[in-house]
Amino acid sequence: MGCEPRTDSEGQRTPNYRRNSALTEIEQRIIDRLQENARAPYAELARQLSVTEKTVRRKVAELVETGIIEFTIVTDPAALGYGFAALIGVQVAGDADIVAMTRAFSAMENVDYVVAATGRYPIYVEALTRDSLAMLNFVNGELRKVPGVTEIEIFPYLRLHYQEAQFFIARSEQKGSTGGVRPSALDDFGRRIVQLLSTDGRMSFRALAQHLTVSETTVRQHVQRMISEGVFRPICLVNPLRLGFRAVAWLAINAAPTATLTEVAEMLAGASHISYVAITAGRFDVFAEVVCADNAELIAFLEEYVRTSPLIAGVETSIYMDLTYKPLTLLRPADATGSV
């Protein structure tokens, strides 16, 4: 695909994704640094990488323009107005065009994450709505109408337990169970900060202060406190498959009869390579996303943390073949009726 910007149904400019071109060395190094600190100043990045600030700015602009990276935040979806979330497993017809189906799903307003995978479900869709009725309307009114869908299975999130989109942290053996982002109560001021940063994770403290009509010092203190408490984390959002991780997978897990769901979720949240943990209703108790360099690393992870764990009774592993995503943004007031 080319790099000309697209427009959506409302005429808004959207990135055209560079899906098949390899990252250059400098692009990879910039992304690595931005994964460590999404809000790092360009001058600091230039010093770290021994290149000019102009080069860093140009490369970052190109990476954003072509859809390789996006700057947003990871936070509890409820902070942005989403009261109901679910992972949806999609069964498809034997002659279905899975690529076309994933594109159709990813274009839907209520969808933020689509995976083409091996295993029980050829496609996984993560969807978020204002409430359960809106989810029902979405599934029956839009999702089922995509050509090729034969059956769906909905796994409502009882709790989105853990998120870590910075893969250098997710892969750390020492990350511990206190990292990542977890659901947190927000006051109105904190919610407004989260909503602004969800649209631009690199928005300056000065710009935030102007939007919120408070001092820059006040904004800086609140942002730093909320980050340290795990309320949200500014991120350079990037597809792990683009970074050379060849074994990214969903783990669909059933807890052992003697284990609580929170125990299982917390064990996984503290494990290396885990980037996402949700406690769900339905056939499986917990879904977790694992990010590994290759199959050997995935096998080692499964043997160390999953198959030998007394907390886990069973697991199904679905390897990602492809994935598309969109940053989560504020739910628009027009969606309040639950219509889709």
Side-chain angles (χ1 to χ4, degrees):
M1 301 177 71
C3 295
E4 292 298 319
R6 300 175 297 174
T7 57
D8 60 19
S9 59
E10 297 180 350
Q12 297 297 310
R13 200 158 169 264
T14 59
N16 200 350
Y17 292 89
R18 269 173 47 193
R19 297 179 58 102
N20 299 315
S21 56
L23 294 171
T24 65
E25 181 182 355
I26 187 61
E27 288 174 336
Q28 180 71 63
R29 293 170 63 202
I30 289 172
I31 290 173
D32 288 344
R33 295 295 183 179
L34 289 172
Q35 278 269 291
E36 294 177 9
N37 180 6
R39 292 177 62 85
Y42 290 119
E44 178 183 331
L45 292 172
R47 286 194 299 271
Q48 292 174 345
L49 299 172
S50 300
V51 297
T52 66
E53 183 176 341
K54 181 178 179 181
T55 296
V56 173
R57 288 182 177 274
R58 176 173 56 83
K59 284 295 183 181
V60 170
E62 290 174 356
L63 289 167
V64 172
E65 176 68 19
T66 55
I68 301 299
I69 63 174
E70 296 181 69
F71 293 108
T72 182
I73 59 172
V74 172
T75 190
D76 180 6
L80 297 172
Y82 299 93
F84 198 95
L87 189 65
I88 303 170
V90 180
Q91 301 281 9
V92 306
D95 59 350
D97 184 340
I98 291 179
V99 172
M101 292 178 70
T102 59
R103 288 175 180 168
F105 291 137
S106 63
M108 296 177 181
E109 186 173 2
N110 292 104
V111 171
D112 74 324
Y113 206 77
V114 182
V115 172
T118 63
R120 183 190 297 266
Y121 309 104
I123 300 175
Y124 285 93
V125 174
E126 184 179 71
L128 303 102
T129 57
R130 182 171 298 277
D131 53 31
S132 59
L133 178 58
M135 181 65 73
L136 179 62
N137 290 337
F138 164 69
V139 170
N140 286 330
E142 193 170 0
L143 197 72
R144 291 185 186 275
K145 293 181 180 179
V146 173
V149 173
T150 58
E151 297 181 34
I152 63 171
E153 188 165 0
I154 303 174
F155 302 97
Y157 288 178
L158 301 179
R159 183 168 74 228
L160 181 48
H161 187 79
Y162 175 85
Q163 303 178 75
E164 181 51 82
Q166 292 172 292
F167 300 117
F168 83 100
I169 294 177
R171 290 169 51 76
S172 171
E173 296 287 347
Q174 291 82 34
K175 72 172 187 176
S177 61
T178 59
V181 171
R182 297 159 184 268
S184 303
L186 286 175
D187 59 22
D188 182 63
F189 187 67
R191 189 174 296 108
R192 290 164 66 197
I193 290 174
V194 165
Q195 290 168 357
L196 286 168
L197 287 176
S198 72
T199 64
D200 179 6
R202 284 182 63 88
M203 184 179 292
S204 69
F205 291 123
R206 177 178 296 180
L208 284 169
Q210 290 173 345
H211 279 287
L212 298 168
T213 62
V214 297
S215 71
E216 186 173 337
T217 299
T218 297
V219 169
R220 185 186 302 272
Q221 291 174 344
H222 273 75
V223 168
Q224 292 174 344
R225 176 182 58 79
M226 293 167 74
I227 292 174
S228 68
E229 293 177 354
V231 176
F232 70 86
R233 174 170 288 154
I235 63 165
C236 169
L237 186 62
V238 58
N239 185 331
L241 301 180
R242 295 285 306 173
L243 297 182
F245 298 110
R246 298 291 176 248
V248 183
W250 274 123
L251 305 180
I253 292 169
N254 287 119
T258 56
T260 69
L261 302 186
T262 298
E263 285 176 330
V264 175
E266 194 64 14
M267 180 275 290
L268 290 165
S272 66
H273 301 80
I274 290 292
S275 61
Y276 199 81
V277 180
I279 297 174
T280 60
R283 184 196 304 263
F284 300 106
D285 297 318
V286 176
F287 276 87
E289 182 184 64
V290 58
V291 179
C292 295
D294 51 34
N295 288 341
E297 191 169 86
L298 177 59
I299 290 171
F301 172 85
L302 292 172
E303 290 177 344
E304 179 177 357
Y305 291 105
V306 179
R307 297 199 177 277
T308 57
S309 172
L311 301 178
I312 295 175
V315 59
E316 291 188 13
T317 304
S318 298
I319 305 292
Y320 289 15
M321 307 299 288
D322 193 18
L323 101 90
T324 57
Y325 56 81
K326 295 178 291 189
L328 196 60
T329 56
L330 178 65
L331 187 66
R332 296 185 303 181
D335 296 328
T337 61
S339 61
V340 296

